[in-house]
Amino acid sequence: MSQAAILGGPPVRYRRFADRKTMGEAEERAAVEVIRSDVLSDFLGAGGDYFLGGAKVRGFEDKWCEMYGFKHGISVNSWTSGLVIAMGAVGVQPGDEVICPPYTMSASATAAIFYGGIPVFADIERETLCLDPADFERKITPRTRAVVVVHLLGRSANMDAIMEIARRHDVKVIEDAAQAPGVRYKGRPVGAIGDVGGFSLNFHKHIHCGEGGMLVTQSDELARRCQLIRNHGENAVSPEEVASTPNFFGGNYRLTELQSAIGIAQLDRLEGYLEARQRLAAHMARRLDDMPGLQTYMTDEGDDHAYYIFPIWYDAERVGMSRSLFVRSVLAELPEPRGFESTPLAEGYIKPLYLLEMFQQRRAMGRGSFPWAFAPESAPDYSKGLCPVAESMYERELILSPLVREPLSVEDIDDIADAMEKVLGQASEIVAKLGDDQDVTEVVTPIDVANSRGTT
Ligand SMILES: *Cc1c(COP(=O)(O)O)cnc(C)c1O
């Protein structure tokens, strides 16, 4: 085999990987139809006929529910909005604690703060990268109102154990399935296994309409509360609801007719995307089977994986090379990424959220210690070392590929695997020539790779 590219040899591949193309004729037709109708949104922030939006908004919600068996869908203008609404709907109040894994997009944790809720972090499981039921239970206190369960990277969390613990302690369950649309846990679609949950429709997710989200729930009461908060509920509530609903006034979190029409067309593509990613991921996993030091975990029968991002667990000792040098060496073998979706490999995913300055300084709004001041006796721990599994994934173990996705082919995946195999075969030579003193504070995440395109 030729010399490693990072040592000056020829790379495995020069030709760029195909970009995703997300919008097609169906989306164009749908958008044009809405524009010609001149009704780009059909909401009014008042009770009555327009409170729940127009034909495309309702059509999009109904279609998603029909495809996956949810009772209620409530579309929203982002999944961050959806998480905030979910917090309100389950009744989070100032000083309540909301448990969340730290290894997720920040909104999973910060949504609680909009209602004065205090994020409390519980560790993840090594294999699923999702909430560890045992640590979740350890973090429950009399102040715990809700838990946010994130189906990270598209793999479902251990829902049976989590639901059993949550029900026993009367904790509401919000599922953040932003990265897991269409995913099943033991045959049941994620999103509404808990009390309320949902999906993101931002540009980087499996399907999208620019920005957007979809809340789902099996509960009539929670659906109504979500609808109130989505659209200025103060103008639509009955006297009984004001008396019985903790959080009813709302914002404007509405999705437009234009976005909903595009979303309807996008839904037709979702199952095809999932199949393509599962096929490519299975191929990648087979290739990695022969590579010591690189491990994958497959899901159990009845569980799907949406492969928002493909994860690889890295053992630096077995490879004889730091994760950072390995990733840089593999990147040198492959064409330069043009953005997040074309990033072949990156490290770490996301810095555990409690290490963000906001949690370190306990200050989210205003000049005081909001929302922590609501419950001084609560004092959750945000110190380094709090969630050792999440920290280890971030600092040492996890390698990610957002590139294992449509429209790539099995041959493309082989090139990525060949690049890894080539670097593994020359690990000692690369280390000898370049040295290897990785500083763990310099984790290069997929977002860093995307931001540095053109310079890597
Ligand atoms: C994308 C994402 C969000 C936020 O969704 P937006 O639609 O961008 O607001 C929240 N949680 C997770 C896990 C995500 O991946």
Side-chain angles (χ1 to χ4, degrees):
M1 189 169 276
S2 61
Q3 196 181 36
I6 200 165
L7 299 178
V12 166
R13 170 168 170 148
Y14 292 99
R15 194 165 40 88
R16 291 203 128 139
F17 293 105
D19 280 327
R20 267 177 102 203
K21 175 88 179 87
T22 61
M23 293 290 119
E25 268 174 38
E27 286 79 3
E28 194 175 323
R29 266 198 310 276
V32 167
E33 186 200 319
V34 172
I35 290 167
R36 290 194 179 144
S37 78
D38 217 53
V39 182
L40 270 65
S41 177
D42 216 9
F43 274 104
L44 279 176
D49 286 354
Y50 299 94
F51 182 63
L52 298 179
K56 298 299 179 192
V57 161
R58 295 179 198 212
F60 186 28
E61 294 167 348
D62 290 347
K63 183 167 175 173
W64 201 311
C65 286
E66 269 163 37
M67 277 177 69
Y68 295 103
F70 300 123
K71 189 164 183 201
H72 299 280
I74 303 98
S75 60
V76 285
N77 60 0
S78 77
W79 177 234
T80 300
S81 304
L83 285 165
V84 172
I85 292 170
M87 292 295 165
V90 302
V92 171
Q93 298 181 49
D96 284 352
E97 292 174 354
V98 176
I99 296 174
C100 180
Y103 207 51
T104 174
M105 196 263 159
S106 61
S108 316
T110 58
I113 295 173
F114 286 86
Y115 282 90
I118 298 171
V120 169
F121 293 100
D123 210 350
I124 55 170
E125 300 173 306
R126 186 169 188 281
E127 185 173 325
T128 62
L129 303 174
C130 300
L131 188 69
D132 175 357
D135 203 38
F136 160 45
E137 185 159 25
R138 273 193 290 275
K139 297 288 162 64
I140 293 174
T141 75
R143 311 194 71 89
T144 309
R145 172 79 56 176
V147 62
V148 179
V149 181
V150 185
H151 303 295
L152 198 79
L153 308 187
R155 175 163 185 161
S156 54
N158 189 347
M159 288 308 287
D160 282 348
I162 290 167
M163 290 307 296
E164 189 276 317
I165 295 162
R167 292 296 181 239
R168 192 150 38 80
H169 293 272
D170 195 21
V171 170
K172 298 291 181 204
V173 177
I174 297 169
E175 285 180 74
D176 181 347
Q179 304 178 359
V183 164
R184 287 179 169 80
Y185 168 78
K186 297 191 178 171
R188 294 163 66 195
V190 300
I193 295 172
D195 294 285
V196 57
F199 310 94
S200 169
L201 294 159
N202 89 26
F203 178 71
H204 299 286
K205 298 294 160 50
H206 292 74
I207 60 170
H208 77 95
C209 53
E211 304 286 353
M214 183 67 73
L215 281 152
V216 292
T217 179
Q218 305 301 89
S219 155
D220 298 344
E221 187 185 353
L222 287 175
R224 168 72 180 166
R225 291 184 185 184
C226 290
Q227 288 160 348
L228 289 173
I229 297 168
R230 171 176 67 177
N231 186 18
H232 303 292
E234 64 279 8
N235 297 322
V237 274
S238 64
E240 296 74 41
E241 279 174 319
V242 174
S244 66
T245 312
N247 304 312
F248 59 83
F249 84 90
N252 174 349
Y253 299 121
R254 308 175 307 215
L255 198 65
T256 64
E257 289 290 284
L258 190 57
Q259 290 166 303
S260 300
I262 291 171
I264 290 169
Q266 286 274 287
L267 263 182
D268 290 332
R269 302 185 189 275
L270 179 55
E271 288 296 316
Y273 289 162
L274 294 175
E275 271 167 40
R277 290 187 189 204
Q278 284 155 1
R279 189 167 42 81
L280 297 173
H283 186 71
M284 180 65 100
R286 273 194 298 278
R287 289 291 314 269
L288 290 170
D289 257 357
D290 305 329
M291 301 186 203
L294 303 185
Q295 190 178 357
T296 54
Y297 293 105
M298 300 317 281
T299 50
D300 297 328
E301 187 102 19
D303 297 353
D304 308 321
H305 198 311
Y307 294 106
Y308 174 62
I309 295 177
F310 184 86
I312 301 166
W313 285 256
Y314 185 76
D315 184 339
E317 245 169 71
R318 275 194 83 178
V319 175
M321 183 179 215
S322 71
R323 182 181 68 177
S324 161
L325 185 55
F326 175 77
V327 168
R328 275 188 287 132
S329 302
V330 175
L331 289 178
E333 302 289 342
L334 297 168
E336 208 169 78
R338 260 178 293 215
F340 180 77
E341 277 81 13
S342 56
T343 300
L345 285 190
E347 307 170 75
Y349 185 53
I350 267 174
K351 188 194 254 188
L353 294 177
Y354 50 84
L355 298 174
L356 293 177
E357 271 309 301
M358 184 178 87
F359 293 105
Q360 293 301 305
Q361 299 194 24
R362 290 169 198 262
R363 195 157 81 75
M365 282 187 210
R367 296 192 192 286
S369 186
F370 179 99
W372 292 272
F374 283 123
E377 66 282 18
S378 158
D381 189 1
Y382 298 134
S383 51
K384 178 106 175 64
L386 175 67
C387 296
V389 179
E391 290 184 22
S392 174
M393 290 303 130
Y394 173 68
E395 291 172 359
R396 285 179 295 280
E397 287 191 64
L398 208 65
I399 291 180
L400 302 155
S401 179
L403 191 49
V404 181
R405 47 115 187 104
E406 76 294 336
L408 265 59
S409 65
V410 164
E411 290 71 35
D412 293 321
I413 297 301
D414 274 328
D415 285 344
I416 305 170
D418 288 347
M420 288 193 263
E421 203 165 53
K422 181 177 169 190
V423 168
L424 289 176
Q426 299 182 41
S428 51
E429 204 186 327
I430 294 171
V431 170
K433 292 226 171 95
L434 300 180
D436 190 9
D437 52 350
Q438 187 203 11
D439 176 354
V440 292
T441 59
E442 284 180 29
V443 178
V444 182
T445 67
I447 290 166
D448 296 326
V449 176
N451 279 332
S452 67
R453 72 193 121 149
T455 61
T456 47

